[in-house]
Amino acid sequence: MPRCHHPILEVAHPSIRWNRISSLVSICKAWKPHLRKQIEQLLGMLLPTNRITWVPINHSTKEANPLAIILETAQKQSSALGTARIIMDYCVEHAHRSRNLAFLPPFFDCLRDIMKMYPDEAFLYLKRIAFIPVMNRSYLLDNSIVVPPPSFRWKFWKPNKIPFYKLRDQVFQLRVSTEDPDPDNEKFTHPVFMASFDTLWRRQDPKVTRLVKRNGSTVIRTTWQKSLLQMILLKMQLKSHSYVKAYNFSIEFYDNPAIAALVAFKWNTIGYWYWFGRFFFQSCFYVIVVMASIMQVYWEHAGQLSGVFLAIAFMASVFLWLELRQIIAGAKRYARSGYNFLDVLAFSFPLAASIRHLIVVQPGDVQDSTQILSFSVLAVFLHIVFELRIFKSVCKFVTIIQQAVAEIRVFFVIFAGGLIAFAVATLHLLRACTHDECQPPETGFPSNFWGALLSMYFFMNGRWDPVSKDFESENWGFHIMMAIFSFVTTILMLNVLIALINVAFNKGDDGWRLVWIESQLRYIEAAEDMSYHIPGFRQTYDFFPDVIYFSATYEQVREITSKLDKRKCEIMDLDMAEKWLGEEDDDALEANNEDLALEEEPKEREGSVDPYNNNNGGSIEDVLEPQVENLTVTDCEVLGNTIEPRQRKGQSVFTTEGTPSIRHDSQDREFTSLSKQVEDLQRLVNSEVKDLHQQVANLQQQVERQFEELKGFLLQHSVG
């Protein structure tokens, strides 16, 4: 039996019984900076993009995922990214070639780490898996149902069946039916693609799998009334386990048809109804707050509103409790969203107004008791607008506001500084004294600083009452000051503000769709996590497939492809720059490694065998012989397509590049040529691969034949 030897073999845990999976894991564990090129060449041979040599395990452990292992190394050595790209390219390329998502679990399992360390790479590969075509399009269309967006229907209890060709961007799920296919499906000519929900989120705990199996073994059913009760009981708990957590995508990641289709499916099924139930209870709170403010104005018995304010205090406390649950679940994530601060503001102001009205306010203290509630109405209105951002038209408006505020932040600082400067200058001009006995001139301009600052602000709106008499005076300094103020604020600042808002409008007009998708995903994530806490919910409702299907126009495919090509060019430019900047360091590292290899002398240890020293009476193949004696020729090919013959004592062991990696005794320095053995092995491997492809083809034909038999049996059974 031939034996194979490679310098990587010794460091890659030779005690393992080698197969293709364990070899990938062990090679990734053996990654070192000075072995980078050899390992990349070896993995390139093991994982070619033109033929299938490895089918990943679905949701394997981190120890069995070669991509996870190499990414852990990449945290300390960024040059390991090239090795990770080989594995990701293999998975993505064969997912497209075979039209099978089974090649993507290694990528999905590591997506969170990839986004954290290399967001550009995550963005690129998510774009590449955006359009994975389906295998049997006609069968899919005949056995699928369209999931339309929510709409008002009088007969809402009946299923909303919509043909494929009536919607432009269809999202549908597989549902095998024994009914005759709709002949109108032939009118639908758009290409169909598939997407996995692993693209959106990762289940945080393996208990989820056990929960699904347990609920699946005993069929549990529920109703919407029971589900609502279970949800209320769950929300009463301050802390609960989170089964689903969406990836922390930046806004540009949502410019992906697959992600958009996944969000649309979940929104059309459970996300919208989760938001609707939440917004219904919030609307009751809004109505009570507005009703209390109106009654204090028009009702003759305004002092008898204790019951209304008790209701406001109770509901505000409940909503603040829900906000506290979110903070405990993830304080950093909660703080990153500005919407959460608006939530706290909209619930805290009415609560403070209610407490002040019920406890603190004394009879006759009218002014102080109404101010907080007055601002509460404004906070509630803003909260209503931002809660309705899940609708396209409202989201576009909200996004433009957000972009405008982001664009003019510096403008606000400059504008505020200008107002302060003009307030101080005008205050000094009209009320300054030069000696102790001087009398300030008579003027209506406020003497306190805050009054002066507000007066300058109201000057912009045309309210010149405080200085109307000063305009009649002959104080030329005041007239020049007001002329400069009018020019700077009314003409210059106002036009700059309009220009900045125009820029913000253009940005908001381009990116509001991405914000809209992100807004829906936040509710979808909460609804999906809630489904695991309600017993029987996932068994009662058919809203939880692992894979969904969506259509796209050819124009959309070309648009995404062009963006992908552009992003590839940008990443290639970055890689080229890194290569140029790091070329000198790599050369120095390789030279240093060669010097160390030539200077290293074998050390003898008493009672132990040194595989690199002939004086010990053993060689490297004697040490590895118990582990590799059962390896076949095919197993040797798995180790890198570079097979070493059985070495004689004192003979050098070579790397894939033909340079000595270990210094042996100087008595024998003959080099053994491996090209012929590699060619023979390549022919042997090609023949075995050809036989394997034939077996796969035969197996596929057998599966198709059994499927047709099963389909015929089901049809006969349905007819009977």
Side-chain angles (χ1 to χ4, degrees):
M1 184 71 67
R3 295 175 174 82
C4 56
H5 300 282
H6 194 280
I8 298 178
L9 175 63
E10 199 276 332
V11 297
H13 305 286
S15 61
I16 296 178
R17 171 79 174 122
W18 288 92
N19 54 51
R20 191 170 297 274
I21 298 177
S22 62
S23 64
L24 293 176
V25 172
S26 301
I27 291 173
C28 291
K29 288 182 178 179
W31 193 95
K32 295 293 186 295
H34 64 279
L35 295 175
R36 175 174 60 86
K37 294 183 179 179
Q38 291 90 332
I39 289 180
E40 289 181 1
Q41 182 180 1
L42 188 60
L43 286 179
M45 297 176 181
L46 288 173
L47 301 175
T49 57
N50 58 353
R51 59 188 176 92
I52 298 176
T53 57
W54 172 52
V55 178
I57 300 175
N58 188 21
H59 298 309
S60 61
T61 60
K62 186 176 181 180
E63 292 75 14
N65 188 346
L67 183 58
I69 295 172
I70 201 65
L71 286 176
E72 185 176 359
T73 304
Q75 293 180 356
K76 301 178 181 179
Q77 297 287 342
S78 60
S79 56
L81 177 61
T83 306
R85 284 175 178 170
I86 295 175
I87 302 175
M88 291 189 291
D89 287 338
Y90 174 87
C91 296
V92 173
E93 186 65 26
H94 285 294
H96 278 278
R97 285 176 173 267
S98 62
R99 302 185 178 187
N100 194 341
L101 298 177
F103 289 91
L104 297 179
F107 173 73
F108 288 141
D109 293 344
C110 302
L111 183 55
R112 190 180 301 276
D113 295 333
I114 299 172
M115 292 181 57
K116 182 179 180 180
M117 295 187 296
Y118 307 104
D120 289 337
E121 297 292 330
F123 180 85
L124 177 63
Y125 282 96
L126 285 175
K127 283 282 190 179
R128 291 178 60 182
I129 64 175
F131 291 118
I132 297 181
V134 297
M135 186 174 296
N136 194 335
R137 182 178 180 277
S138 59
Y139 175 80
L140 179 65
L141 295 180
D142 293 338
N143 293 273
S144 297
I145 58 171
V146 177
V147 183
S151 60
F152 177 78
R153 294 182 300 115
W154 289 109
K155 298 181 179 180
F156 59 89
W157 60 89
K158 292 186 178 181
N160 188 13
K161 294 184 178 180
I162 300 178
F164 287 95
Y165 63 90
K166 286 190 176 182
L167 291 176
R168 179 185 177 186
D169 298 326
Q170 296 90 343
V171 180
F172 45 95
Q173 69 178 110
L174 180 65
R175 185 174 294 177
V176 180
S177 175
T178 57
E179 300 178 358
D180 294 333
D182 188 357
D184 290 336
N185 289 343
E186 300 295 334
K187 300 178 182 179
F188 180 69
T189 59
H190 292 171
V192 179
F193 307 95
M194 54 184 171
S196 171
F197 279 101
D198 291 331
T199 310
L200 285 184
W201 48 59
R202 177 68 175 162
R203 297 175 182 179
Q204 297 295 302
D205 196 325
K207 293 180 180 179
V208 174
T209 305
R210 294 195 293 269
L211 179 65
V212 172
K213 290 182 179 179
R214 184 175 69 250
N215 291 346
S217 60
T218 58
V219 180
I220 303 175
R221 299 295 179 182
T222 187
T223 60
W224 69 268
Q225 296 91 341
K226 293 181 180 179
S227 301
L228 181 61
L229 178 60
Q230 289 288 339
M231 183 174 65
I232 294 174
L233 295 177
L234 178 66
K235 294 297 184 181
M236 293 175 62
Q237 303 176 11
L238 185 59
K239 187 176 181 181
S240 60
H241 180 74
S242 179
Y243 290 105
V244 176
K245 189 174 182 180
Y247 296 118
N248 188 23
F249 292 128
S250 59
I251 194 63
E252 62 178 0
F253 278 80
Y254 295 100
D255 187 15
N256 189 310
I259 294 178
L262 292 168
V263 172
F265 176 86
K266 285 296 182 180
W267 179 257
N268 297 346
T269 52
I270 61 173
Y272 171 79
W273 297 108
Y274 179 85
W275 170 87
F276 182 80
R278 182 174 180 268
F279 185 74
F280 175 79
F281 289 103
Q282 289 180 349
S283 299
C284 297
F285 173 74
Y286 302 149
V287 171
I288 296 176
V289 172
V290 175
M291 183 177 64
S293 62
I294 294 176
M295 291 178 69
Q296 283 189 336
V297 175
Y298 295 104
W299 199 33
E300 297 178 356
H301 306 285
Q304 302 178 6
L305 296 177
S306 300
V308 176
F309 282 100
L310 281 174
I312 293 175
F314 173 75
M315 298 191 70
S317 301
V318 171
F319 289 125
L320 288 175
W321 171 268
L322 299 180
E323 296 299 318
L324 180 61
R325 292 183 78 253
Q326 297 182 41
I327 295 175
I328 295 176
K332 293 183 179 179
R333 187 180 183 185
Y334 185 89
R336 282 197 297 264
S337 176
Y339 300 117
N340 294 325
F341 291 101
L342 183 59
D343 292 342
V344 175
L345 188 68
F347 301 138
S348 299
F349 269 38
L351 178 62
S354 301
I355 294 175
R356 183 170 180 81
H357 181 85
L358 295 172
I359 300 175
V360 181
V361 174
Q362 300 295 328
D365 191 9
V366 179
Q367 186 66 22
D368 292 338
S369 65
T370 59
Q371 289 180 352
I372 301 179
L373 186 60
S374 301
F375 287 99
S376 299
V377 176
L378 296 180
V380 164
F381 170 74
L382 288 177
H383 194 258
I384 293 174
V385 173
F386 280 86
E387 282 294 311
L388 294 175
R389 69 186 184 275
I390 54 94
F391 298 105
K392 289 184 178 181
S393 56
V394 180
C395 184
K396 186 175 182 179
F397 173 77
V398 171
T399 304
I400 292 175
I401 293 178
Q402 292 176 326
Q403 292 290 345
V405 172
E407 288 291 333
I408 61 180
R409 283 179 297 183
V410 178
F411 173 83
F412 281 148
V413 175
I414 297 175
F415 179 73
L419 279 182
I420 293 174
F422 276 107
V424 173
T426 306
L427 190 62
H428 180 271
L429 182 66
L430 297 180
R431 290 189 173 274
C433 287
T434 57
H435 54 276
D436 296 340
E437 297 180 357
C438 75
Q439 295 293 330
E442 295 183 1
T443 179
F445 194 75
S447 59
N448 63 82
F449 176 75
W450 293 111
L453 185 62
L454 289 176
S455 296
M456 298 304 298
Y457 177 77
F458 290 125
F459 286 170
M460 297 176 55
N461 299 324
R463 183 181 175 184
W464 301 90
D465 298 341
V467 294
S468 59
K469 294 182 179 181
D470 295 293
F471 278 109
E472 300 175 358
S473 66
E474 297 181 357
N475 188 348
W476 59 268
F478 171 75
H479 291 282
I480 294 176
M481 181 71 69
M482 292 298 100
I484 296 175
F485 175 79
S486 298
F487 174 78
V488 172
T489 57
T490 307
I491 299 177
L492 184 61
M493 287 289 187
L494 183 59
N495 283 279
V496 171
L497 178 62
I498 294 174
L500 291 176
I501 292 178
N502 187 37
V503 173
F505 177 82
N506 294 330
K507 288 186 177 180
D509 192 49
D510 294 336
W512 68 268
R513 292 182 182 273
L514 308 183
V515 178
W516 175 59
I517 296 174
E518 182 186 24
S519 302
Q520 291 182 338
L521 180 59
R522 299 308 162 207
Y523 297 103
I524 291 170
E525 179 186 5
E528 184 76 11
D529 184 74
M530 184 72 63
S531 67
Y532 286 102
H533 292 276
I534 301 176
F537 189 86
R538 299 180 69 88
Q539 288 72 41
T540 304
Y541 302 101
D542 188 18
F543 300 151
F544 307 98
D546 294 328
V547 178
I548 59 102
Y549 306 91
F550 65 98
S551 64
T553 62
Y554 295 100
E555 291 77 9
Q556 291 173 329
V557 177
R558 283 195 297 267
E559 181 182 359
I560 295 298
T561 304
S562 62
K563 291 182 180 179
L564 180 60
D565 294 338
K566 182 179 179 181
R567 193 58 176 262
K568 282 183 179 179
C569 294
E570 294 175 356
I571 294 179
M572 289 175 62
D573 293 340
L574 292 175
D575 292 342
M576 189 178 299
E578 292 177 359
K579 181 179 179 182
W580 288 344
L581 294 175
E583 184 176 0
E584 183 178 355
D585 297 336
D586 293 341
D587 295 340
L589 179 61
E590 292 181 2
N592 187 28
N593 292 332
E594 292 179 359
D595 294 339
L596 291 176
L598 293 175
E599 294 176 0
E600 181 181 350
E601 292 293 339
K603 299 180 180 179
E604 298 181 8
R605 294 184 177 89
E606 184 178 358
S608 63
V609 179
D610 188 353
Y612 307 135
N613 194 340
N614 289 332
N615 297 328
N616 291 332
S619 60
I620 186 171
E621 66 272 13
D622 297 327
V623 177
L624 300 181
E625 185 173 358
Q627 288 80 28
V628 300
E629 61 182 359
N630 295 325
L631 291 178
T632 63
V633 175
T634 304
D635 294 322
C636 293
E637 188 274 337
V638 171
L639 299 179
N641 286 346
T642 303
I643 310 304
E644 303 286 349
R646 185 177 180 84
Q647 302 291 322
R648 297 189 302 273
K649 295 180 180 180
Q651 186 173 352
S652 175
V653 180
F654 281 78
T655 64
T656 56
E657 296 185 353
T659 57
S661 61
I662 303 172
R663 188 190 176 202
H664 287 271
D665 194 71
S666 60
Q667 297 179 356
D668 189 5
R669 296 182 179 275
E670 297 180 358
F671 299 154
T672 303
S673 176
L674 304 177
S675 59
K676 184 177 180 181
Q677 298 184 21
V678 172
E679 293 176 359
D680 296 339
L681 179 61
Q682 190 67 37
R683 286 194 295 268
L684 178 61
V685 170
N686 290 337
S687 62
E688 292 183 356
V689 171
K690 184 177 180 181
D691 295 339
L692 181 61
H693 286 174
Q694 184 62 35
Q695 295 177 8
V696 171
N698 296 336
L699 181 61
Q700 185 176 2
Q701 293 177 0
Q702 183 179 359
V703 170
E704 291 177 355
R705 185 169 60 255
Q706 293 179 356
F707 176 77
E708 293 296 334
E709 293 177 357
L710 178 61
K711 184 178 180 181
F713 173 77
L714 292 175
L715 291 175
Q716 293 178 1
H717 181 73
S718 62
V719 172

